[in-house]
Amino acid sequence: MSFTMAIIGFGKSANRYHIPYIKERDIKIKYIYNHRRHPEKEQGFYDPNTIFTEDLNEVLSDPEIQLVTVCTPPAIHFKFGQDVLNSGKNVLIEKPFCNDLDETKQLLDLANRKNLVAMAYQNRRFDSDFLTLKSVLEKGYVGKPLELESHFDKYRPNIKALTGDFMDGTFYGLGIHIIDQIVALFGKPEEVGYDIRPIQNQTSSTDDYFQTDLYYENFKASVKSTPLAATPYSRFVLHGTQGSFVKYDIDQQENDLKLGIMPDDPQFGIDSPNLFGEVHYRNQNNDWITKQIPTITGDYGLVYDSLIDSIINDQPKLVSDEELITDMQILEDGVATKGPHITKLN
């Protein structure tokens, strides 16, 4: 049975990270709402029956719509989330979910009162590198994990002063993804340490660099992003009591999408063998084994599969309310104080 939905927003987020995966599933996009229409982009849309509209009420008053995905700038996520939930429809909201923790809790409370699903779009839970790391942990290759480094680095020199507020910085835009990955694997940390700042032009009002350390009992996870990594660092470095795992380079889905290679291509998102991870571990005979770990192919569309299962079959959400609140608290605490600092999570 087809599932019917609508999308608010028709920019890069919708066209790159949502629509290519939705079209491969039994999901009907009945409406795409945008306050400024772009007829040149609407022409040739894969479903000629999709209605492009500037009338949000048309979307929210249609009883066929089961889900609305919000793909707008973060500053207006809260308002659209309220409108969707108050219309009696489930909502999926791009990251970061809201401006702050208070707005996040308000939306989740509203959804729960109305017996609806509200969830953040954490598509990078289905990154190939992350799925492979998760598998290595589940199989126990490294024993008890002790330390994890997660790098998402680039080389994009830009000496211009960046303007905007914290919502426009790298920490909120990218950090939310790789922080959420840690929370998904290990839960809520006890303390979090922060170093968030502009490094290319210190007069910038927004950050382009961050390192965030999440402290657990006898375990630490560090997530980091810099715009000036001319020599790429490993995507993941995991050390445990019985060995180590190293994964090179990032998930390939985004690179393929930028080239116009879509999810229906058999080679879409497949990692190169020279970038496969490697585990070095001690087996039960105390022999040291080195093994290449083929990368598990990612699929951002699995977010929709999981979400629809939650809506139709009342299954637990991919991103629980507790995980989302933890994500948002970590973000909010990070920008609440300037300069390096450590906070204890409540």
Side-chain angles (χ1 to χ4, degrees):
M1 182 176 67
S2 179
F3 186 88
T4 304
M5 64 169 293
I7 297 176
I8 295 177
F10 195 52
K12 182 179 75 173
S13 173
N15 282 285
R16 181 177 293 173
Y17 301 110
H18 293 263
I19 293 171
Y21 297 93
I22 293 170
K23 68 184 291 188
E24 297 302 312
R25 289 163 163 80
D26 189 21
I27 301 174
K28 175 184 177 182
I29 303 176
K30 185 170 183 179
Y31 298 98
I32 294 179
Y33 164 81
N34 208 31
H35 71 288
R36 284 196 301 267
R37 296 279 300 279
H38 299 285
E40 72 283 358
K41 295 181 180 179
E42 298 169 9
Q43 293 177 0
F45 192 72
Y46 78 94
D47 186 351
N49 296 311
T50 295
I51 301 167
F52 290 86
T53 180
E54 296 176 355
D55 182 0
L56 183 59
N57 186 61
E58 180 183 15
V59 178
L60 300 184
S61 62
D62 190 328
E64 288 188 4
I65 301 300
Q66 298 161 275
L67 168 71
V68 178
T69 294
V70 178
C71 296
T72 66
I76 49 178
H77 284 178
F78 178 68
K79 176 63 168 63
F80 279 127
Q82 277 188 319
D83 291 343
V84 172
L85 291 169
N86 282 324
S87 74
K89 304 185 187 308
N90 304 287
V91 66
L92 177 66
I93 301 179
E94 260 287 358
K95 56 78 189 173
F97 189 72
C98 288
N99 288 295
D100 54 39
L101 185 59
D102 180 64
E103 288 184 351
T104 297
K105 290 180 177 179
Q106 286 187 56
L107 283 190
L108 293 176
D109 288 344
L110 178 60
N112 291 329
R113 289 199 308 271
K114 291 182 171 291
N115 198 28
L116 294 167
V117 173
M119 195 181 82
Y121 183 66
Q122 290 294 356
N123 59 313
R124 291 195 178 276
R125 291 198 182 190
F126 295 108
D127 270 352
S128 60
D129 45 48
F130 176 72
L131 293 174
T132 306
L133 170 70
K134 185 178 179 182
S135 176
V136 167
L137 285 164
E138 290 171 346
K139 291 177 180 178
Y141 277 117
V142 304
K144 182 179 179 180
L146 300 173
E147 182 179 11
L148 173 65
E149 294 180 50
S150 171
H151 283 251
F152 209 108
D153 301 326
K154 302 174 183 177
Y155 185 71
R156 293 181 180 173
N158 181 7
I159 62 172
K160 293 181 180 179
L162 304 175
T163 59
D165 60 21
F166 60 88
M167 294 286 289
D168 302 306
T170 301
F171 181 61
Y172 257 68
L174 176 61
I176 180 59
H177 275 311
I178 52 181
I179 287 169
D180 175 74
Q181 289 179 338
I182 303 302
V183 171
L185 286 175
F186 302 104
K188 185 177 181 178
E190 297 172 354
E191 293 182 316
V192 183
Y194 302 92
D195 181 7
I196 305 167
R197 52 195 164 93
I199 64 170
Q200 300 194 78
N201 188 321
Q202 295 184 12
T203 65
S204 296
S205 59
T206 61
D207 63 90
D208 59 2
Y209 167 96
F210 66 85
Q211 177 168 331
T212 306
D213 297 320
L214 291 80
Y215 296 93
Y216 299 82
E217 184 178 0
N218 298 321
F219 174 75
K220 182 181 82 168
S222 298
V223 299
K224 180 177 179 178
S225 179
T226 175
L228 294 176
T231 299
Y233 199 81
S234 301
R235 174 67 182 91
F236 289 115
V237 178
L238 171 68
H239 300 302
T241 55
Q242 295 294 320
S244 298
F245 170 69
V246 178
K247 171 68 182 81
Y248 313 94
D249 208 7
I250 62 174
D251 176 274
Q252 296 302 306
Q253 292 179 81
E254 184 173 7
N255 290 335
D256 284 351
L257 290 167
K258 289 178 179 177
L259 281 174
I261 302 172
M262 294 291 111
D264 60 349
D265 190 303
Q267 299 301 310
F268 177 80
I270 293 179
D271 209 5
S272 301
N274 64 308
L275 298 175
F276 286 174
E278 186 175 274
V279 65
H280 184 62
Y281 68 99
R282 187 172 56 183
N283 66 15
Q284 291 180 349
N285 293 329
N286 285 326
D287 301 320
W288 283 98
I289 308 296
T290 299
K291 180 185 293 188
Q292 193 178 53
I293 306 294
T295 306
I296 298 171
T297 302
D299 180 359
Y300 295 158
L302 292 172
V303 175
Y304 278 94
D305 295 343
S306 175
L307 183 60
I308 291 171
D309 200 24
S310 298
I311 293 170
I312 300 299
N313 300 315
D314 199 30
Q315 292 300 302
K317 292 189 292 186
L318 172 69
V319 183
S320 70
D321 290 357
E322 293 76 15
E323 290 170 340
L324 176 54
I325 288 171
T326 296
D327 289 345
M328 294 305 299
Q329 183 179 354
I330 291 171
L331 288 186
E332 188 171 287
D333 288 353
V335 299
T337 303
K338 290 187 176 182
H341 61 283
I342 295 177
T343 65
K344 183 179 290 291
L345 269 63
N346 299 325

